[in-house]
Amino acid sequence: MQRSVQDPHFHEKVSAWFLGPRAENFDLLKELFEGALDMHANTRKEYHPEDGEFITSAIKASSEFELAVDKLRTHIRLVTEGLNGWSVPFFSGRYMGHMDMETSMPSILGWMITILFNPNNVAYEASPITTVIELEVGKQLSAMLGYKTENIEPGEPEPWGHIAADGTLANMESMWAARNLKFYPLSLHAAMTQGDKPLGFIADDFKIPGTDELFRDLDAWQLLNLSPSVILGLPDDLQNQYSITSDFLTAALSPYLVQTAGKEELREIYKITDEPLYLVPSTKHYSWPKAAALVGIGSKNCANVPVDTNARMNISSLRTLLQECLDTKRAVYSIVAVIGSTEEGAVDPLDEMVKLRDEFAAKGLSFIVHADAAWGGYFASMIRDEPPLAGHEPMEGTPREDPPREFVPSMTMRRSSITQFEALCGADSITIDPHKAGYVPYPAGGLCYKDGRMRYLLTWSAPYLAQNTEGESIGIYGIEGSKPGAPAVACYLHNTITGLHKNGHGALLGEATFTCRRFASHWSAMSDDETPFIVEPFNALKDPSEKQFIRERIFGKTNEEIVADKVAFQCLCTLGSDLNINAFACNFRIDGRVNDDVEEANYLNKRVFDRLSITRPHIDPKTVPLFLTATTFALEDYGECVVDFQRRLGLETESGQDLFLLRNVVMSPFQSAGDFVQKLADIFQGVLEEETKNVVARNTVSNQVHSFLMQGEDDPYLVYRPNFYHANGRQQLIVRTTFADDAGREQYKQARALYPDAYFQFNSVETTIEDILTKMEVEGTVEPQGVPTTGDAILVTLTITDVLKNRPLNSRYRDGAYPASYTPFYLYGTPEQIYVDHILVRAPNAQITALDPVALSVQPALTAEQLARGVIAHAARPEAAMQPFGTGNTVFVPGATFAVEVFEDPNGAAAHGPGLAQGGSKIAEGTLGLGAAVFYDGVALNELEDAAAPSGRALSSAATSRFARPQKQQWTDAVKNHLRVARVDGAPPPPRAGHKGRGKGRGD
């Protein structure tokens, strides 16, 4: 059962932790920082005052000093202006894109006061206080995550944690540790049995603890599957049984350790043919294959485990993979549970994964479990009780005279998620990012080990805990060398002041959770069967009838009213993802019919994303009414999960396309105040309605001018100039025509003689392709292109005598990949005049059309019947190697000759793909030479929208949060221009307060 926070004044406490969306606590921040600065200044003055002043009054009065100060002030002002003018407003409730929000005042102040000393936590002597603080933070995080940090009994593992730059490094370190753990027994065995055998003297009697089996008699499979606790205890066992010192063991093992010899040498010695696997869910963060590459495991051995329709790891699939590994004797390093996936906010079934670890360990397959809780880790505070004496008794609340806008309830996680957080204590290691849900400035990641001895696997010393009184230098354990002490202090202050329990940080996240559910209600019920747009949440409603309930009992209600309405509150609890991320997608209707084209739905979502984000230079953030982000669900990764989502959106699933969708991440405790969520939902709906109109327009067939390339003279072929992204031009069309009268034919011939270097284009009157093919006749003008002309167009009527190709180019009919060994062409004509047109199998692409007859030399020669019907030619150049073609063409140029294979075309004129370019039986081979005129277009064919479209901005074909990039050089030049002291007139200054910028079409 989920609850609202018991303390009605808790939000007032939260309000003291942040500067505030409108800098409401600026005076407090200034006061605290000034106090810290004064204390810092006194520290410097009081340190050996007998040393005297080094920056004297005379120096300060010098012109050189004043010039240097002027330069300092100028550049500080310029950078400050740039930051304030162009930075994304993470502090605002209007921002709900990435996992970014304003950081807490305790963490900000922790950074500020520490950076003045600039301690380096790589070594204790360079950071005596911040090293201790970092170790304390590791203990705080370990306790919050469920590891036992107090009253540890003899034989129980003692956890250990530290700060890393980010979750990527933490994940990489955990993988590094898992690799070294897996190979450590092999190294110990090799030191007993290989080479100089420095540990050979124990080989005859050293046994696996708790068994009668000699260690030296273990085979490779047994060595690879010793339990982690046994492996980590081996050095202590050697010391206890043989008094082997740490220094001797380090020297003895060094030549055989994976860190020294490399795992390939150990694999060769022990005949290990298959690299052990690292099993990760397909929703994994990109850091995992990156880490596998860097650690030497290889990204291909970082194997995906399928997810279910809720984007959680499929336990049945995991069990199957583990059983295969056991049956084939392929070792496993680790299985990874994502505790809050960054795209969907999903929590993997960690409890079941821990059970599988123990089950398969009993069968002889040993591995560790790692929890990637970079996003979700701090949510563990929602289930932790407040420690005794952790704070003061709550004070009597003073009556509030402010309007009820400020009441923000707190909501905990669903029971299914709580179960997984309760299971965190069973994970062997956990990644956690304070700079995500911990509200700490970047960079501040973290890694916690259930058994602190794991950290010694990252050094070149023996992995056991040496007891001494020296300060511990953290830097020897992680990947980083130098590491700042400021993040540790920032984490410590935030953790200590907010409290890592359900009445502190947990309740803060609970307020964000309540807000996230309110947003989820809008994504769930914003559209209905009558709206021209569709909004579908990734986390589906249990019953479509809930939409009406949400509209009646949640929309328009105050927070107080929802909390008082137990049924509405419980309904709200069921909405959205596991952890404060709402993924959703939009679709549209045309005349009441739901669009089923995945590409067009993706396009709508990209347009909305483009409006509600900054992916282009010179965008004034103040003109963006709210910020969302986006992602792509790749079929290869998401499988049935994305297929199910596409079905719910009304999209076809046969073509196997990826799905582009929108996301909003909720971290702010302030968005839910008043009716702000409703205001932001209304802004979103307004943008969606505008963009729906644009997308409907491009998917509506209407009368327009259609352009064709002309091949030949007497009875010319017309080759249509298509466009992948508009219903009016989404087809590849080749027809043979004849002039309706001799006058038109003669005028055409005269024009060709007058402009021998031109190519000719036929432009129809305004009509539709369907109408042209129904009438088999079309009126229009013939116009020379590519050379200066008098501008006179020839008005003609053409009669269509044959339709060679009329194939749709909708996304569902395209191939999944470009041809890997050839470039395909339609080849047609007569024995005297043969033409080709590039087969468009995939987008983006280029239209490549031979305007003059080609020189075809094949055996056997093609018959007139074959040419009249049309065949398929494969030019011996792999199209996949050249795509995307872009604007230039250096291959299919006039005079170029290619080896070709010719195939029957078994498909009718109106047949759709995919697979049309392969052809049927091979009928000839030889060479094909292009003539003097070749038409090439890699632009118009791929244009996403008309220049006059209301949003006024073209879209990148990969404009997702993972891949979106501003136009790099333009943006770099703009920033550099601003930072120059003597700026060139006309360089774009940063937006100032009250400056409207280029906000047309972006207002709320």
Side-chain angles (χ1 to χ4, degrees):
M1 179 68 181
Q2 299 187 334
R3 60 168 178 82
S4 60
V5 71
Q6 299 300 309
D7 181 1
H9 300 288
F10 179 76
H11 188 67
E12 296 163 11
K13 186 190 300 184
V14 170
S15 297
W17 296 340
F18 295 93
L19 177 57
R22 312 223 9 118
E24 293 89 342
N25 285 328
F26 176 74
D27 290 341
L28 175 59
L29 178 64
K30 186 176 181 181
E31 170 203 325
L32 293 170
F33 189 50
E34 284 181 347
L37 283 175
D38 289 341
M39 192 178 297
H40 181 84
N42 289 334
T43 297
R44 294 192 179 213
K45 292 174 182 178
E46 292 169 1
Y47 185 77
H48 290 282
E50 70 273 15
D51 291 347
E53 292 186 350
F54 293 89
I55 303 175
T56 64
S57 300
I59 290 176
K60 292 182 180 180
S62 68
S63 59
E64 289 81 1
F65 183 90
E66 291 178 353
L67 284 172
V69 169
D70 285 344
K71 185 176 182 180
L72 174 65
R73 288 184 175 126
T74 297
H75 282 277
I76 292 295
R77 176 181 58 79
L78 288 172
V79 171
T80 303
E81 287 177 351
L83 287 170
N84 285 301
W86 283 328
S87 292
V88 176
F90 299 127
F91 55 80
S92 172
R94 290 172 178 259
Y95 185 85
M96 47 182 180
H98 294 277
M99 296 166 179
D100 287 301
M101 189 245 176
E102 84 166 280
T103 48
S104 70
M105 283 204 296
S107 64
I108 292 171
L109 289 162
W111 255 99
M112 288 177 167
I113 63 180
T114 309
I115 206 67
L116 294 170
F117 292 95
N118 198 29
N120 184 355
N121 280 20
V122 71
Y124 183 83
E125 65 270 18
S127 54
I129 182 171
T130 52
T131 288
V132 172
I133 288 175
E134 180 168 345
L135 291 172
E136 178 60 24
V137 169
K139 189 174 181 180
Q140 289 177 329
L141 297 176
S142 294
M144 178 183 68
L145 293 169
Y147 289 159
K148 188 176 181 181
T149 58
E150 303 290 343
N151 304 316
I152 297 174
E153 300 292 334
E156 286 186 318
E158 182 174 356
W160 188 86
H162 74 106
I163 297 296
D166 61 5
T168 293
L169 280 182
N171 285 340
M172 189 184 303
E173 181 184 323
S174 75
M175 182 178 279
W176 187 18
R179 184 204 67 174
N180 292 356
L181 179 74
K182 183 61 67 177
F183 282 93
Y184 186 78
L186 299 175
S187 302
L188 183 60
H189 190 274
M192 293 181 188
T193 61
Q194 303 292 319
D196 295 336
K197 304 179 184 178
L199 292 177
F201 68 93
I202 68 171
D204 291 339
D205 55 8
F206 180 59
K207 297 178 181 179
I208 297 296
T211 74
D212 293 327
E213 194 167 10
L214 287 175
F215 191 87
R216 73 174 184 192
D217 293 338
L218 299 181
D219 61 25
W221 178 250
Q222 291 172 307
L223 290 168
L224 286 169
N225 287 285
L226 291 179
S227 72
S229 60
V230 168
I231 297 171
L232 294 172
L234 288 173
D236 285 329
D237 294 328
L238 294 176
Q239 185 184 51
N240 294 335
Q241 294 182 44
Y242 304 99
S243 297
I244 294 177
T245 66
S246 174
D247 289 343
F248 178 83
L249 185 59
T250 299
L253 286 177
S254 180
Y256 305 96
L257 288 174
V258 67
Q259 298 99 301
T260 306
K263 61 184 177 61
E264 297 310 313
E265 182 173 321
L266 289 169
R267 285 181 59 187
E268 183 177 349
I269 291 172
Y270 290 96
K271 310 303 180 188
I272 302 169
T273 55
D274 293 322
E275 174 76 34
L277 289 178
Y278 225 93
L279 300 180
V280 295
S282 59
T283 54
K284 65 187 179 299
H285 189 259
Y286 62 79
S287 59
W288 287 108
K290 180 192 292 187
L294 290 169
V295 172
I297 290 173
S299 60
K300 74 174 183 179
N301 299 307
C302 194
N304 277 358
V305 180
V307 294
D308 61 21
T309 54
N310 292 306
R312 304 185 190 114
M313 181 182 278
N314 188 307
I315 286 296
S316 176
S317 297
L318 175 61
R319 175 182 289 278
T320 298
L321 284 170
L322 290 172
Q323 188 62 48
E324 288 176 1
C325 289
L326 181 61
D327 293 342
T328 59
K329 289 198 170 183
R330 184 169 189 177
V332 176
Y333 288 112
S334 174
I335 59 176
V336 177
V338 177
I339 308 300
S341 56
T342 55
E343 307 301 320
E344 314 84 9
V347 175
D348 283 335
L350 176 61
D351 60 336
E352 296 296 327
M353 297 170 71
V354 170
K355 291 176 184 177
L356 283 178
R357 176 196 61 193
D358 299 341
E359 175 189 331
F360 276 89
K363 296 177 180 179
L365 180 68
S366 177
F367 49 85
I368 64 172
V369 173
H370 178 79
D372 183 356
W375 167 237
Y378 265 85
F379 285 82
S381 62
M382 301 175 81
I383 66 169
R384 304 299 173 207
D385 292 328
E386 184 172 2
L389 304 178
H392 301 287
E393 290 295 321
M395 297 176 60
E396 183 75 22
T398 56
R400 294 185 295 177
E401 298 179 357
D402 296 343
R405 169 190 176 97
E406 63 186 57
F407 174 65
V408 180
S410 184
M411 178 183 287
T412 193
M413 297 177 286
R414 290 189 281 263
R415 180 66 248 180
S416 58
S417 298
I418 291 175
T419 299
Q420 308 318 317
F421 278 87
E422 291 172 341
L424 276 172
C425 62
D428 297 286
S429 54
I430 304 173
T431 293
I432 181 172
D433 276 1
H435 65 211
K436 286 189 173 74
Y439 299 89
V440 172
Y442 291 107
L447 180 64
C448 297
Y449 296 108
K450 182 174 184 176
D451 189 330
R453 293 175 298 179
M454 286 275 285
R455 71 188 186 274
Y456 293 105
L457 292 163
L458 306 180
T459 70
W460 273 256
S461 59
Y464 71 95
L465 184 59
Q467 300 293 332
N468 58 60
T469 58
E470 297 176 2
E472 185 174 19
S473 292
I474 302 172
I476 65 172
Y477 303 122
I479 293 172
E480 298 156 283
S482 296
K483 53 186 299 186
V489 178
C491 291
Y492 173 78
L493 280 175
H494 177 88
N495 294 349
T496 303
I497 290 170
T498 65
L500 300 181
H501 49 74
K502 64 178 64 173
N503 295 323
H505 190 95
L508 163 62
L509 288 173
E511 291 194 353
T513 297
F514 178 84
T515 303
C516 186
R517 303 277 194 253
R518 291 217 67 169
F519 277 115
S521 73
H522 287 280
W523 312 143
S524 299
M526 181 175 286
S527 61
D528 58 29
D529 293 340
E530 302 300 322
T531 54
F533 58 85
I534 296 169
V535 181
E536 180 68 21
F538 171 69
N539 301 98
L541 293 174
K542 293 181 180 178
D543 189 319
S545 65
E546 288 184 276
K547 281 192 174 188
Q548 190 59 34
F549 179 87
I550 291 170
R551 293 191 187 103
E552 293 174 356
R553 302 278 284 273
I554 295 177
F555 283 4
K557 303 298 183 182
T558 65
N559 293 339
E560 291 93 337
E561 289 172 329
I562 290 175
V563 171
D565 185 341
K566 293 182 180 180
V567 178
F569 186 80
Q570 193 55 39
C571 174
L572 195 65
C573 292
T574 66
L575 303 179
S577 71
D578 296 332
L579 295 182
N580 290 24
I581 296 175
N582 291 315
F584 61 101
C586 305
N587 198 5
F588 59 95
R589 293 182 175 91
I590 299 179
D591 296 329
R593 180 184 59 82
V594 177
N595 163 65
D596 66 357
D597 191 309
V598 178
E599 184 174 73
E600 292 307 299
N602 286 347
Y603 179 69
L604 172 61
N605 287 289
K606 287 176 183 179
R607 287 191 68 112
V608 173
F609 171 59
D610 193 56
R611 291 277 299 276
L612 301 180
S613 62
I614 294 180
T615 58
R616 299 292 184 273
H618 309 310
I619 299 297
D620 181 348
K622 290 188 293 298
T623 66
V624 182
L626 67 89
F627 287 83
L628 295 176
T629 187
T631 189
T632 298
F633 281 9
L635 182 67
E636 179 182 6
D637 293 330
Y638 285 82
E640 183 58 32
C641 176
V642 67
V643 170
D644 176 74
F645 194 23
Q646 288 171 331
R647 289 194 192 105
R648 288 194 280 120
L649 282 160
L651 302 172
E652 58 85 15
T653 59
E654 293 78 14
S655 61
Q657 297 182 68
D658 300 340
L659 184 66
F660 184 98
L661 59 158
L662 304 170
R663 293 164 58 237
N664 83 288
V665 179
V666 180
M667 294 180 63
S668 173
F670 304 110
Q671 286 170 321
S672 219
D675 62 348
F676 201 61
V677 169
Q678 181 67 56
K679 179 177 182 178
L680 296 179
D682 290 343
I683 292 171
F684 173 84
Q685 182 170 334
V687 171
L688 176 59
E689 288 173 348
E690 291 177 11
E691 295 304 337
T692 296
K693 292 177 182 177
N694 295 329
V695 177
V696 167
R698 88 168 193 164
N699 282 279
T700 301
V701 175
S702 59
N703 288 336
Q704 71 167 39
V705 173
H706 295 274
S707 297
F708 298 80
L709 301 171
M710 301 184 72
Q711 297 171 319
E713 285 193 6
D714 289 324
D715 297 313
Y717 288 96
L718 297 187
V719 180
Y720 187 52
R721 295 194 59 184
N723 178 278
F724 283 117
Y725 306 114
H726 201 293
N728 280 325
R730 200 176 285 142
Q731 57 216 101
Q732 186 162 16
L733 176 63
I734 305 171
V735 298
R736 188 169 188 177
T737 68
T738 187
F739 287 90
D741 56 67
D742 292 338
R745 179 182 289 106
E746 289 304 315
Q747 286 181 292
Y748 172 53
K749 288 182 177 181
Q750 291 171 11
R752 287 176 65 94
L754 183 61
Y755 302 110
D757 295 327
Y759 71 91
F760 285 79
Q761 182 168 289
F762 175 80
N763 297 318
S764 74
V765 296
E766 289 194 354
T767 184
T768 66
I769 294 295
E770 182 181 8
D771 201 37
I772 292 173
L773 295 179
T774 298
K775 296 178 179 177
M776 295 294 281
E777 187 176 87
V778 57
E779 295 181 12
T781 58
V782 175
E783 302 176 24
Q785 306 288 318
V787 296
T789 68
T790 58
D792 295 332
I794 306 169
L795 181 62
V796 300
T797 298
L798 294 174
T799 300
I800 298 173
T801 59
D802 190 18
V803 178
L804 274 73
K805 287 297 168 187
N806 178 30
R807 50 175 287 248
L809 297 178
N810 305 65
S811 65
R812 67 190 302 173
Y813 301 138
R814 302 180 205 145
D815 289 7
Y818 297 104
S821 60
Y822 58 86
T823 300
F825 289 86
Y826 289 122
L827 189 149
Y828 49 91
T830 65
E832 295 77 24
Q833 293 187 341
I834 303 174
Y835 299 96
V836 295
D837 186 45
H838 177 221
I839 303 177
L840 305 172
V841 301
R842 188 169 171 79
N845 220 307
Q847 183 170 10
I848 306 170
T849 306
L851 301 172
D852 285 347
V854 300
L856 184 68
S857 176
V858 295
Q859 292 296 326
L862 300 183
T863 66
E865 182 182 357
Q866 289 172 325
L867 289 170
R869 186 171 64 249
V871 294
I872 292 174
H874 290 176
R877 292 297 295 265
E879 182 172 338
M882 299 179 284
Q883 290 285 6
F885 279 119
T887 57
N889 171 29
T890 60
V891 177
F892 298 102
V893 295
T897 299
F898 305 92
V900 294
E901 293 180 319
V902 183
F903 300 84
E904 289 281 2
D905 186 352
N907 303 299
H912 64 71
L916 297 183
Q918 297 172 7
S921 302
K922 181 177 175 180
I923 56 177
E925 61 181 314
T927 61
L928 183 150
L930 296 175
V934 177
F935 178 84
Y936 177 91
D937 171 45
V939 177
L941 175 68
N942 304 306
E943 285 182 344
L944 289 173
E945 61 181 41
D946 297 331
S951 74
R953 283 192 270 155
L955 292 173
S956 164
S957 60
T960 77
S961 62
R962 290 170 171 162
F963 306 111
R965 298 289 185 270
Q967 296 171 32
K968 185 175 180 181
Q969 192 56 50
Q970 292 183 31
W971 187 235
T972 300
D973 291 346
V975 173
K976 285 183 176 179
N977 284 337
H978 171 72
L979 295 180
R980 292 192 187 108
V981 177
R983 283 181 292 175
V984 178
D985 289 343
R992 305 287 183 90
H995 175 60
K996 296 185 181 299
R998 54 185 297 273
K1000 183 177 181 181
R1002 301 178 63 99
D1004 57 355

